[in-house]
Amino acid sequence: DWDLVMQELSAGGLNAVFPNFCDAGGAQYESDVIPPARGYSGNQLQACLEAAARYGIEVHPWRVNWRLSSATPERSEQFRAEGRLAQTLTGEQSEWLCPSDERNFKMEVDAMVEMATRYPVTGIHFDYIRYDGPSYCYCDKCHRNFERDAQVQVEDWPKDVLKEGPHYERFQDWRREQITRVVREVHLRAHEARPEIVVSAAVFSNWPSSRTSIGQDAAAWAEEGIIDLLMPMT
């Protein structure tokens, strides 16, 4: 009951909500970019917006990036078959998309921009805009793409890009860029379409170690001016 939700929030003095409506697996609203989420129950974003407007409450839809949390088994298997999942040092795959895969990059950007341009939202919100952890991603695609972008030949993958390896620092820079480029492109395209839009992100609070552990350099985003609002998860 979105009307009751907004009524109670308004009575409590709140003026904005950041509801989680989508991830890499699917959406709880009508989308041309991603399919309906598992357990889809109608266009929840539209219903939320209509109720929020009656009470003067801002809506900043929240996307869980890369993760396949709400994917149907068929969609998860499709990503696996297409080689789009992140992989550990030992070859184990995660229910998480590889950020260096151009198909995944395009989907993440398009999904974020669609929310900003298709619906009258106040802002759009990144979450999980990072790697799954320090063990990701070391798939064959990351190997090839790193060599292409850094213009180096990695003789012993992944050993040569790990700590003490000859390409460690360059690989860390490249790894961060796979995340930053999504934020940069979304910010650019969203603001081109709607200059007043607020692009925000939930980020780890342990900067600067998060630059290496999960490839998330939130301070650099702020310095570059490609994020409008940072929310450290404390």
Side-chain angles (χ1 to χ4, degrees), residues 184-203:
R184 182 185 297 117
E185 185 69 10
V186 168
H187 191 270
L188 174 66
R189 287 179 51 187
H191 278 275
E192 281 180 344
R194 293 184 56 200
E196 78 285 0
I197 198 84
V198 177
V199 180
S200 62
V203 298

Side-chain angles (χ1 to χ4, degrees), residues 163-174:
K163 207 158 190 178
E164 312 303 331
H167 303 300
Y168 173 73
E169 292 296 341
R170 293 185 76 174
F171 182 70
Q172 290 301 316
D173 288 341
W174 177 86

Side-chain angles (χ1 to χ4, degrees), residues 56-125:
I57 293 178
E58 297 180 0
V59 177
H60 302 247
W62 161 13
R63 176 169 173 79
V64 173
N65 303 101
W66 312 119
R67 290 189 67 184
L68 294 169
S69 309
S70 69
T72 62
E74 293 78 16
R75 183 165 170 80
S76 291
E77 182 52 40
Q78 177 189 349
F79 281 122
R80 190 178 307 280
E82 293 174 351
R84 294 172 63 172
L85 299 183
Q87 188 171 298
T88 66
L89 289 161
T90 55
E92 298 167 353
Q93 289 186 320
S94 171
E95 289 294 295
W96 192 291
L97 300 181
C98 170
S100 82
D101 189 305
E102 289 302 322
R103 296 167 295 182
N104 299 338
F105 167 77
K106 183 178 186 306
M107 185 189 71
E108 287 298 336
V109 171
D110 288 350
M112 294 292 289
V113 173
E114 182 186 51
M115 290 192 298
T117 56
R118 183 167 179 168
Y119 294 94
V121 299
T122 302
I124 49 176
H125 186 62

Side-chain angles (χ1 to χ4, degrees), residues 39 50 52 80 226:
E50 290 173 0
R80 190 178 307 280
I226 57 174

